[in-house]
């Protein structure tokens, strides 16, 4: 499938890669991004700069909550909704209003604009909807009980997709990504911070004892899941998108030391509120119904992220 795509969050870490992937697959892409200052907007401009001269890409610098979505939806055959206030640990306190605006209100506004168009939606959800469970690996039919305000907003948006399906026939696929990494990874995320310390001589801060585990997903595997989801013919579904590279934070630091040759000191801090202990994606459903199969393992993926940081620091 190709045609015209609308990508929200187009200048972000995953969104910018997705725009490039869709353009190279023959799609004509409109990307919307409001360049929030959650991290340096200049960095987002750099993410999207490679598409600047492309006839198949146009960038709309607007907030989903105030732009004319109906106009941007004209002629579109699939919407990939990635715009969000991401980040688990900063979602407490006064910051929460940004999470409500970008994750809940913006999704509701998008669904309102889409509800009678017949255009399918691919929504970027999150493993954080599951919360802290001992019942591993996480399956799509497990109880959802987020432990961070961020996770609560990502789950609310999934619920909104379902409400618009039941009431208005809005088709959607929700992709629950598990800790995505690779070139352009957000600067607040663990690998970015660790690599920066290893290359630049700083210190690594570990929240908790470092034995917490994540099912890390290389960004190109997350893109593949989006492409496969755009071809999904059913009315709706929810799929885990994991990389099959479950490791602890301490294991990751070891690989980064080895690959960079750096030996940054590690400081252990208090466990962060809202962080889950472990994630582990059961991707059987995505494999069976989408044909999803991640291809990049942790060591190779980390090498590619380190290489990107070397080129961009
Ligand atoms: P990101 O912050 O790099 O990208 C999000 C983009 O959305 C930003 O460029 C931001 O400017 C834009 N944006 C935010 N609010 C907006 C609004 N109201 N209107 C228009 N644009 C807006 O984050 P990312 O890591 O690329 O995450 C992309 C999506 O994937 C998010 O929905 C996130 O919740 C989800 N997700 C990410 C991960 C991960 O590990 N990175 C894991 C699970 C889920
Ligand atoms: C990531 C994304 O940032 C979220 O947007 C996403 O929704 C979530 O994955 C998901 O899977 O749904 P997180 O797993 O916290 O969240 O990703 P990282 O920031 O890479 O953190 C991984 C682990 O490293 C966490 O346990 C965190 O506490 C730890 N960490 C992070 C540190 O020990 N030190 C740091 O400096 C940063």
């Amino acid at each position: 499938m190709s045609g015209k795509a609308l990508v929200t969050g187009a200048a972000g870490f995953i969104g910018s890669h997705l725009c490039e992937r869709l353009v190279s697959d023959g799609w004509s892409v409109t990307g919307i991004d409001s360049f929030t200052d959650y991290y340096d907007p200049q960095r987002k401009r750099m993410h999207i700069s490679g598409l600047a001269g492309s006839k198949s890409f146009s960038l709309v610098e607007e907030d989903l909550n105030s732009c004319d979505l109906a106009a941007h939806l004209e002629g579109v055959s699939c919407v990939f909704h990635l715009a969000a206030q991401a980040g688990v640990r900063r979602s407490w306190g006064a910051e929460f209003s940004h999470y409500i605006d970008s994750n809940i209100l913006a999704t509701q506004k998008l669904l309102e604009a889409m509800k009678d168009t017949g255009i399918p939606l691919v929504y970027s959800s999150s493993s954080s909807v599951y919360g802290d469970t001992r019942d591993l690996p996480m399956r799509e039919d497990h109880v959802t009980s987020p432990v961070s305000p961020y996770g609560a907003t990502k789950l609310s948006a999934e619920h909104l997709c379902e409400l618009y399906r039941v009431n208005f026939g809005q088709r959607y696929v929700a992709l629950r990504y598990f800790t995505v990494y690779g070139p352009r990874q957000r600067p607040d995320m663990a690998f970015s911070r660790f690599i920066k310390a290893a290359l630049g001589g700083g210190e690594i801060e570990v929240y908790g004892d470092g034995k917490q585990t994540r099912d890390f997903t290389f960004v190109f595997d997350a893109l593949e899941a989006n492409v496969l989801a755009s071809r999904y013919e059913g009315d709706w579904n929810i799929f885990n998108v994991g990389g099959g590279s479950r490791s602890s934070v301490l294991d990751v630091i070891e690989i980064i030391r080895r690959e960079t040759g750096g030996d940054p000191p590690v400081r252990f801090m208090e466990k962060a509120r809202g962080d889950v202990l472990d994630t582990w994606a059961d991707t059987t459903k995505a494999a069976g119904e989408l044909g999803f199969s991640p291809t990049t393992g942790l060591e190779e993926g980390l090498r590619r992220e380190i290489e990107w940081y070397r080129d961009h620091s």
Side-chain angles (χ1 to χ4, degrees), residues 86-89 126-128 150 177-180 185-186 188-191 193-194 205-207 212 214 216 249 272 275-276:
V88 177
R89 291 170 289 281
S126 153
S127 73
S128 63
Y150 163 75
Y177 308 147
F178 283 66
T179 316
V180 184
Q185 192 190 41
R186 294 196 329 261
D188 60 304
M189 293 185 67
F191 292 10
R193 303 190 76 203
F194 297 168
E205 290 179 350
V206 168
Y207 305 135
Q212 67 266 42
R214 292 289 180 277
F216 294 106
V249 164
D275 261 358
V276 297

Side-chain angles (χ1 to χ4, degrees), residues 182-219:
R184 304 182 191 156
Q185 192 190 41
R186 294 196 329 261
D188 60 304
M189 293 185 67
F191 292 10
S192 287
R193 303 190 76 203
F194 297 168
I195 294 169
K196 192 172 168 211
L199 294 178
E203 179 181 71
I204 285 180
E205 290 179 350
V206 168
Y207 305 135
D209 62 9
K211 292 184 184 151
Q212 67 266 42
T213 64
R214 292 289 180 277
D215 191 334
F216 294 106
T217 309
F218 189 64
V219 63

